[in-house]
Amino acid sequence: MTAATPEVDAFTRPYWDAAAEGRLLIRHCTACDRVHHYPREFCPYCWSEDVTWRPASGRATLYTWSVVHRNDLPPFGDRVPYVAAVVDLAEGPRMMTEVVGCPEAELRIEMELCVAFRAGDGVSVPVFRPDPR
Ligand SMILES: [Zn+2]
């Protein structure tokens, strides 16, 4: 589920509204003080429902990736090749996403990335690009 058109429902609405404004949100559990991603209505660590939205820094490091050269599912067909990736957010959670703006040969494990947003289909999807720092 890299960047397919996401399901937006009442629960995930704040996440997508923030994305449309260029902000990445993660979920923070008040009970055990841990964060998680993707967003869940309860904490995956302690099952507490005392979980709130919190802004993420948008910084991440590259954990692993796969260059996808063929995908017949819309909207991917027009977009190949693309870099399907798993990144470690600075806050800890691991996130499935896509790396953009980086030649395949320059991808490196643990390279520093920052969040960017790709608009389309009425939804802005968080993707990551090399951090210019
Ligand atoms: Zn918890």
Side-chain angles (χ1 to χ4, degrees):
M1 57 167 256
T2 37
T5 303
E7 292 279 330
V8 178
D9 58 22
F11 166 63
T12 58
R13 169 68 60 187
Y15 178 84
W16 297 112
D17 284 352
E21 297 170 0
R23 295 180 298 120
L24 180 64
L25 298 184
I26 51 177
R27 298 281 285 170
H28 174 256
C29 173
T30 305
C32 71
D33 197 30
R34 296 184 75 170
V35 292
H36 69 262
H37 192 85
Y38 60 98
R40 275 156 280 197
E41 295 189 63
F42 53 84
C43 173
Y45 304 107
C46 74
W47 307 102
S48 169
E49 293 181 9
D50 192 3
V51 183
T52 57
W53 297 100
R54 168 179 284 194
S57 66
R59 292 170 48 208
T61 53
L62 185 56
Y63 174 70
T64 188
W65 71 90
S66 168
V67 179
V68 178
H69 291 281
R70 182 188 170 92
N71 188 335
D72 293 331
L73 294 175
F76 295 105
D78 297 335
R79 210 180 277 163
V80 292
Y82 63 89
V83 180
V86 178
V87 303
D88 286 325
L89 299 177
E91 290 79 7
R94 198 156 272 177
M95 176 176 175
M96 291 185 69
T97 182
E98 193 177 319
V99 173
V100 299
C102 184
E104 184 178 343
E106 293 178 18
L107 294 165
R108 296 284 180 272
I109 294 285
E110 293 189 348
M111 70 184 288
E112 296 193 329
L113 303 169
C114 61
V115 73
F117 291 88
R118 179 172 53 223
D121 299 326
V123 178
S124 284
V125 176
V127 296
F128 283 79
R129 59 182 170 79
D131 194 327
R133 279 174 299 165

